[in-house]
Amino acid sequence: MKKIITLLFSVLGISAFSQQTPIYLNPDAPVEDRVEDAIQRMTLEEKVAIIHAQSKFSSPGVPRLGIPENWMSDGPHGIRAEVLWDEWYGAGWTNDSCTAFPALTALAATWNPSLARLYGKSIGEEARYRNKNVLLGPGVNIYRTPLNGRNFEYMGEDPFLASVMVVPYIIGVQSNSVAACVKHFALNNQEKYRDHINVTVSERALHEIYLPAFKAAVQQGKAWAIMGSYNRYKEQHCCHNQYLLNDILKKEWNFDGVVISDWGGVHDTKEAINNGLDMEFGTWTDGLDFGRSNSYDSYFLARPFLNLLKSREADEKHLNDKVRRVLRLIFRTNMSPGINYGSFGSPEHAAAGRKIAEEGIVLLKNADNLLPVNIGNTKKILVVGENAVKPMTTGGGSSSLKVKYEISPLEGIRLRAGRKAEVKYLAGYESPATKEQDVKNAKEPQQKEINYEALRNEAATAAKEADIVLFFGGLNKNSGQDCEGDDRNSLELPYQQDALIEDLLKANPRTAVIIISGNAVAMPWINRTPAIIEAWYNGTEAGNAIAAVLFGDVNPSGKLPFTFPVRLQDNGAHAAGEYPGDGENEIYKDDIFVGYRWLDKENIRPLFAFGHGLSYTTFNYGKATADKNKITANERINISIPVKNTGTREGAEVVQLYISDKKSSLPRPVKELKAFQKIFLKAGEQQTLTFTIDKNALIYYDDIKKAWIAEPGEFEAWIGSSSADIKEKIKFELY
Ligand code: BGC
């Protein structure tokens, strides 16, 4: 309506917003004009008030001027339940049950940027409906070790893949006038010692491996917020880190949004003032007495800052820069012209989550075509394993959700099988009971003795009678598994699952193993199992998605966003990298050789390679051709390859292009992912894909020159269906 009036008035030559109406309230005025107008109306106290929290997840606006509060929510897989004002505990609302979307590892495994856009748009709509203007996500810390308890919230081990996938997620979220807050900047690659560990990493690895996804989020995704991480770098906490926040993020990348602290990640007023932090959250301390409730006025960026300003020991220019950024956030979100009301828990969001889940599930192995399950001649299905029934949308730390519903794998299978087959369930193993997360006065649960042998024997006996056994295991969201706050302590499956899998296989070789996890696990039984699937944490529609893949309604097309090593020592962070450090310091000795880059360098065969994933159909790669064999740094080369679906059903293939630098002044990885396309082909259909490569795919970071270098010489483009299955190579020269 306001727009129509404005338009009408402007046709008549009159401004709807007369002299008396402040510019900052005019939604059609440029954001920067609104910011300047608002800031000059604010008192010093009002300015200091808006740069720190007033409750667990909100910060004040300027009530006198009608500028609204900021409300944040985790992130990154759904909109978290409302909590009490000053507590982590749930507030007990009855209208805050959300859609849980698949974990970000699952999204990354789709290798489909259009699904990242759908994800962002959908979760942004949920945030908007719940009046949240900042979504605390996505997370793009690089998967350095399979033990990191938070890998499931991130997008895998490769900076290029994470960069391509994070940008549309952000654009989708922000199309709802909700800011994406990209986290955790930076080098938060483990949970162990996360509050204080000081990371030492080469400038080169920082630029080539750990920063690119953040840079893409800022420069291409135009993220309006970023979250500093808990750990330290160059001996400074990353929430107030001169080099990361001021030099790189704000100066080099021109970030104009807000830097938000991780909850409780601020430790020093002067550093917070000077080193690039804009908003402080979660400190829960007055700087003297840890744990005093409602101490928001005592936050490092609250009264202590105000006092320094009043005594002129702090410069108001620092305050004004922070205030401008916070105002910009508000005008981009809660006071933006395009604001809508969002939508919540809708069938469309469930369908979006299901689509993402179905495309992210990875078929790791399928010998003798055990899968898909042929419902016509399968009468007795035995489902074994706690992960077939355990809710996976709760637990795991800050990404824990209160969901409208969650379809478990067992329910999904039962729904799909209907009356056509008998579906029997046995636990086979159990995990110890855990205390409920986010519930006030939650009691420590009574632990019962788990008789693993009896559970195992019962399942193995039943397996003998079944036409097929579907084992659901992996990790879960309990502490020490895929869970914030700590890391796993080994690559092995917990709760005696390996012994159970061996017994099931002995009883019935037609046993498929379905892993639910956000991390790689060891598989000592791999040669005896005909079929293995990685099914991730897939949210609300998890069970329907896995059933669709198991029964062949959906042809799997996910590819691994990280390597599965055979042993922990095959991973660079463990072989060379000093993980987890001595409690104070950790040196990333694996340097740029993270993930497949390490295995390539050491010539180690992975259990399953980065980029691996099978289909129920087959694809044939034809001969690759290039339009040139020499380029200058200003030119591009087009590389084409025909890909044909040679099977009998439609399917999708992710065609991956890696660049190999044949000779360079600095050591380089054997190959690095620089392009990919997901292609959908009908049975018998062929399409030719073209990749355009320019110098950005060829450069490396020289830490002495502090610059990206495109070094002339010979390169090869390797095209394949995984990092370990290269089909074609094309030579070309940069001169
Ligand atoms: C986590 C963040 C999260 C915040 C608020 C912190 O412990 O590291 O990722 O957004 O809590 O819940």
Side-chain angles (χ1 to χ4, degrees):
M1 189 62 183
K2 197 179 264 177
K3 272 199 175 152
I4 298 172
I5 297 173
T6 314
L7 192 72
L8 195 71
F9 278 31
S10 70
V11 170
L12 299 172
I14 312 165
S15 167
F17 287 89
S18 62
Q19 293 296 314
Q20 290 84 17
T21 311
I23 297 170
Y24 79 90
L25 286 176
N26 178 0
D28 299 321
V31 166
E32 294 310 309
D33 293 0
R34 299 177 79 188
V35 168
E36 291 313 313
D37 184 46
I39 197 171
Q40 50 95 11
R41 295 168 190 271
M42 292 167 68
T43 65
L44 193 66
E45 283 75 10
E46 283 169 339
K47 288 183 186 174
V48 173
I50 68 168
I51 61 167
H52 60 86
Q54 62 175 3
S55 76
K56 199 47 95 193
F57 282 101
S58 75
S59 61
V62 192
R64 183 179 62 88
L65 298 177
I67 295 177
E69 300 169 342
N70 291 297
W71 278 86
M72 330 252 152
S73 173
D74 287 300
H77 307 141
I79 306 306
R80 202 171 172 182
E82 299 298 328
V83 294
L84 296 171
W85 185 255
D86 190 31
E87 302 285 353
W88 290 105
Y89 305 120
W93 288 21
T94 51
N95 60 353
D96 57 349
S97 301
C98 69
T99 306
F101 297 93
L104 291 193
T105 28
L107 174 64
T110 67
W111 295 57
N112 185 343
S114 70
L115 290 185
R117 178 73 188 248
L118 175 68
Y119 193 132
K121 174 182 167 287
S122 310
I123 195 173
E125 285 168 354
E126 299 240 333
R128 180 39 66 210
Y129 187 90
R130 288 267 304 282
N131 287 322
K132 309 298 176 195
N133 67 320
V134 181
L135 174 73
L136 303 175
V140 285
N141 293 94
I142 288 293
Y143 184 117
R144 176 173 175 254
T145 153
L147 300 192
N148 180 7
R150 281 190 100 169
N151 278 338
F152 70 101
E153 290 186 65
Y154 303 141
M155 296 194 182
E157 73 185 26
D158 186 77
F160 181 81
L161 176 64
S163 301
V164 172
M165 296 302 285
V166 76
V167 169
Y169 180 109
I170 294 166
I171 294 173
V173 170
Q174 296 191 164
S175 67
N176 295 286
S177 309
V178 171
C181 180
V182 186
K183 62 195 194 183
H184 307 90
F185 190 68
L187 299 168
N188 182 187
N189 307 103
Q190 66 194 51
E191 288 297 283
K192 211 173 188 62
Y193 314 131
R194 70 171 178 176
D195 296 343
H196 57 272
I197 189 95
N198 182 56
V199 173
T200 301
V201 62
S202 73
E203 277 288 306
R204 186 166 173 215
L206 181 71
H207 282 81
E208 290 189 14
I209 304 292
Y210 296 103
L211 293 184
F214 288 104
K215 187 176 183 183
V218 167
Q219 296 195 327
Q220 296 166 44
K222 307 256 180 274
W224 293 330
I226 203 163
M227 186 189 289
S229 58
Y230 284 132
N231 53 288
R232 291 182 302 144
Y233 170 61
K234 291 188 190 283
E235 310 284 345
Q236 251 173 13
H237 276 98
C238 293
C239 286
H240 28 81
N241 190 293
Q242 169 64 26
Y243 185 61
L244 290 175
L245 300 178
N246 280 340
D247 298 347
I248 295 185
L249 179 67
K250 291 185 172 174
K251 285 205 196 90
E252 203 182 306
W253 298 351
N254 292 319
F255 176 68
D256 69 355
V258 282
V259 174
I260 296 177
S261 75
D262 201 342
W263 268 233
V266 185
H267 302 268
D268 183 89
T269 291
K270 287 202 174 150
E271 283 193 5
I273 295 171
N274 296 317
N275 293 354
L277 180 71
D278 300 312
M279 292 181 100
E280 179 184 2
F281 277 84
T283 302
W284 203 334
T285 172
D286 59 1
L288 295 170
D289 304 318
F290 183 82
R292 243 176 59 180
S293 200
N294 275 316
S295 57
Y296 300 100
D297 286 345
S298 307
Y299 270 30
F300 295 99
L301 283 185
R303 201 180 318 111
F305 188 12
L306 189 62
N307 289 343
L308 290 175
L309 286 160
K310 286 190 170 158
S311 63
R312 298 191 184 281
E313 286 164 87
D315 192 334
E316 205 176 328
K317 77 168 195 236
H318 290 301
L319 173 66
N320 287 339
D321 178 56
K322 298 179 202 307
V323 172
R324 284 194 172 91
R325 290 169 185 273
V326 176
L327 288 170
R328 208 172 279 140
L329 172 77
I330 298 173
F331 294 133
R332 283 169 166 168
T333 58
N334 282 340
M335 290 180 83
S336 87
I339 197 155
N340 58 38
Y341 301 102
S343 52
F344 191 60
S346 63
E348 288 77 12
H349 290 171
R354 177 167 174 173
K355 172 95 184 109
I356 294 158
E358 288 173 350
E359 267 200 41
I361 290 170
V362 184
L363 180 62
L364 293 172
K365 181 177 176 187
N366 195 19
D368 312 324
N369 292 334
L370 182 71
L371 298 175
V373 178
N374 182 340
I375 199 71
N377 55 22
T378 309
K379 294 292 160 229
K380 285 184 172 181
I381 300 173
L382 177 67
V383 176
V384 179
E386 187 183 73
N387 281 359
V389 294
K390 190 173 170 57
M392 292 294 187
T393 54
T394 50
S398 59
S399 61
S400 180
L401 297 171
K402 175 175 159 189
V403 286
K404 208 171 159 189
Y405 68 91
E406 176 179 351
I407 307 277
S408 71
L410 181 63
E411 283 172 295
I413 290 166
R414 288 209 160 121
L415 282 169
R416 178 58 180 80
R419 296 216 180 118
K420 293 198 181 118
E422 177 202 323
V423 180
K424 182 172 172 177
Y425 171 72
L426 288 170
Y429 77 92
E430 276 173 33
S431 60
T434 52
K435 196 163 124 185
E436 240 183 314
Q437 203 193 298
D438 302 336
V439 174
K440 195 165 187 161
N441 302 326
K443 296 208 174 56
E444 278 301 339
Q446 276 228 304
Q447 293 297 347
K448 59 169 191 183
E449 184 84 28
I450 301 173
N451 187 338
Y452 286 99
E453 205 183 335
L455 290 171
R456 201 154 59 225
N457 289 341
E458 187 191 18
T461 306
K464 290 189 185 139
E465 308 296 316
D467 294 328
I468 191 164
V469 181
L470 302 173
F471 169 74
F472 283 83
L475 308 177
N476 57 30
K477 300 283 187 74
N478 295 359
S479 181
Q481 305 294 316
D482 283 323
C483 183
E484 182 177 344
D486 207 349
D487 289 346
R488 302 162 66 198
N489 55 26
S490 87
L491 191 64
E492 273 66 55
L493 285 173
Y495 321 127
Q496 304 193 18
Q497 291 178 68
D498 286 339
L500 172 61
I501 295 170
E502 296 284 9
D503 282 2
L504 290 173
L505 283 164
K506 266 184 229 142
N508 190 336
R510 289 173 56 79
T511 295
V513 175
I514 298 113
I515 300 290
I516 311 274
S517 74
N519 256 320
V521 297
M523 299 184 185
W525 29 261
I526 185 165
N527 292 332
R528 293 176 285 289
T529 324
I532 310 172
I533 285 182
E534 172 55 68
W536 316 115
Y537 300 110
N538 268 337
T540 282
E541 285 284 327
N544 286 331
I546 187 65
V549 168
L550 286 170
F551 289 88
D553 310 330
V554 164
N555 191 352
S557 62
K559 299 268 186 175
L560 290 178
F562 51 79
T563 307
F564 275 57
V566 174
R567 311 166 308 163
L568 207 48
Q569 310 88 283
D570 294 348
N571 166 287
H574 296 270
E578 272 201 348
Y579 169 89
D582 62 6
E584 283 301 318
N585 290 291
E586 181 169 356
I587 305 173
Y588 285 11
K589 288 193 181 155
D590 42 339
D591 199 49
I592 54 169
F593 298 101
V594 173
Y596 62 89
R597 291 162 169 82
W598 177 266
L599 284 90
D600 279 351
K601 178 167 92 72
E602 300 294 312
N603 216 354
I604 299 169
R605 274 176 74 87
L607 188 68
F608 292 112
F610 171 80
H612 170 74
L614 303 172
S615 164
Y616 295 147
T617 186
T618 45
F619 299 98
N620 183 55
Y621 286 61
K623 198 169 163 34
T625 52
D627 62 352
K628 311 181 183 67
N629 56 15
K630 273 177 156 200
I631 53 168
T632 66
N634 298 323
E635 287 175 333
R636 289 150 180 242
I637 176 169
N638 292 312
I639 297 170
S640 300
I641 185 158
V643 179
K644 184 171 183 183
N645 180 344
T646 47
T648 53
R649 53 179 300 164
E650 66 180 343
E653 169 71 328
V654 178
V655 181
Q656 301 157 42
L657 186 148
Y658 297 82
I659 291 289
S660 178
D661 188 351
K662 299 326 281 178
K663 197 162 163 261
S664 69
S665 314
L666 295 183
R668 297 203 69 178
V670 172
K671 63 176 184 295
E672 295 184 278
L673 182 74
K674 293 297 172 186
F676 63 86
Q677 286 182 44
K678 189 163 192 172
I679 180 173
F680 294 82
L681 295 172
K682 299 229 171 337
E685 187 186 349
Q686 173 170 313
Q687 275 184 39
T688 296
L689 298 181
T690 299
F691 296 97
T692 302
I693 298 298
D694 63 15
K695 74 160 193 251
N696 290 322
L698 312 178
I699 51 182
Y700 60 77
Y701 190 83
D702 183 327
D703 27 9
I704 312 241
K705 295 186 184 140
K706 286 197 175 301
W708 290 94
I709 306 289
E711 193 179 33
E714 196 182 302
F715 290 85
E716 278 177 4
W718 296 7
I719 302 176
S721 90
S722 87
S723 65
D725 184 10
I726 301 300
K727 313 276 191 188
E728 285 286 297
K729 292 185 179 177
I730 287 268
K731 274 194 191 358
F732 64 96
E733 190 189 327
L734 178 74
Y735 68 102

